Amino acid sequence: MRRLLTNVVFFGLIGLAAFWFTTRPKTLADNALDGLTADASRGEMVFHATGCASCHTDPNAHPEEGELPVLAGGQKFPSDFGTFLAPNISPDPTHGIGDWSTLDLANAMKHGTSPEGQHYYPAFPYTSYNKATLQDIVDLKAYLDTLPASQAASLPHEVGFPFNIRLSLGGWKFLFDDDSWVADATTPQEERGRYLVEALGHCAECHTPRNAIGGLDRDNWLAGAPDASGSGNIPAINPERLTWSEGDLNFYFETGFTPDYDSAGGHMSHVIKNLAQLPPEDRAAITAYLKALPTGS
């Protein structure tokens, strides 16, 4: 009996150690950014491509044309697991991320790990940002530091038990935090489009269905998904369902107008505002990627 209990305790400790090792928050090496030089002007393009302003501006703010965005947070994102609220990511050192190092931002985007070593919820799309280059993250941080600071406090997520246990997110990441590319790319233009769609633009986070515990269904890539708000569906943007021409897509990404004389609404209107700031060749690359997806993806 004593030997049995000893074995149970021994293997139990091994199991706990394996669980801790597998689910611990990951971080980059301290020297991961060595040799990289920040360029805030290029970081502005990364900012638009990643859509930071779409989620992190106050939903009640109405900035004037040309006014720099204030990333005070506060927007709500409902889900089956609770409602997540975008935090303040302005340069304020107390309420925002002004005291973050560039490595802190890189750990958040690449691994979903906070400066305090906690797991972030995947409402922050690090499962897409994990494919972003470190150079782009360095440039993005330089641009974020130029934006207006806000002293608005970040509001807590409205998430109940058991989803408020952040330790469990380590297991979720183990299952679904995949940094491999989904689609093949055969030309430099398609590669650029893949990077913008799968990494910076995180299009799949809305346009791809999820399984019962919130993992992206890669077998139905960009095939549309229920709107997390519970109202309607987010459309498919794969070739099987979206039959717009390349010209139609490029025009939509620049203006928000569809071939049917309709216009982008809801959160997509914010996405269009971001895409319109990108160089025309980047919008064309996004179109090339979408058109190159295999039928049935």
Side-chain angles (χ1 to χ4, degrees), residues 106-285:
N107 282 325
M109 294 180 68
K110 299 286 282 186
H111 293 300
T113 299
S114 75
E116 296 77 30
Q118 288 189 322
H119 293 296
Y120 281 125
Y121 288 105
F124 174 49
Y126 52 78
T127 53
S128 293
Y129 291 157
N130 59 12
K131 293 176 279 293
T133 67
L134 292 176
Q135 182 63 67
D136 275 353
I137 294 173
V138 168
D139 293 337
L140 174 61
K141 181 62 165 66
Y143 178 71
L144 290 173
D145 288 343
T146 71
L147 297 178
S150 167
Q151 295 184 344
S154 295
L155 300 175
H157 300 307
E158 299 168 0
V159 180
F161 181 84
F163 305 116
N164 58 351
I165 302 175
R166 287 186 184 254
L167 181 63
S168 65
L169 291 169
W172 188 93
K173 288 180 180 180
F174 177 75
L175 294 173
F176 303 119
D177 190 11
D178 187 345
D179 63 359
S180 65
W181 299 109
V182 175
D184 293 328
T186 59
T187 68
Q189 184 184 47
E190 289 175 15
E191 287 182 2
R192 176 62 178 168
R194 180 177 65 180
Y195 181 65
L196 291 167
V197 171
E198 294 193 22
L200 298 188
H202 58 280
C203 303
E205 303 289 338
C206 290
H207 290 277
T208 296
R210 296 177 181 272
N211 60 29
I213 54 176
L216 289 174
D217 180 1
R218 287 185 162 215
D219 291 334
N220 289 291
W221 191 246
L222 303 181
D227 193 313
S229 68
S231 176
N233 292 284
I234 297 171
I237 55 173
N238 58 5
E240 189 172 22
R241 302 281 295 278
L242 183 63
T243 59
W244 296 355
S245 70
E246 291 187 13
D248 290 338
L249 283 169
N250 289 336
F251 187 70
Y252 178 69
F253 293 148
E254 182 179 5
T255 67
F257 290 106
T258 75
D260 303 319
Y261 307 103
D262 198 356
S263 60
H267 202 75
M268 191 63 197
S269 62
H270 298 292
V271 175
I272 294 296
K273 184 176 180 181
N274 294 326
L275 292 176
Q277 306 301 314
L278 299 180
E281 54 268 27
D282 275 353
R283 292 192 293 272

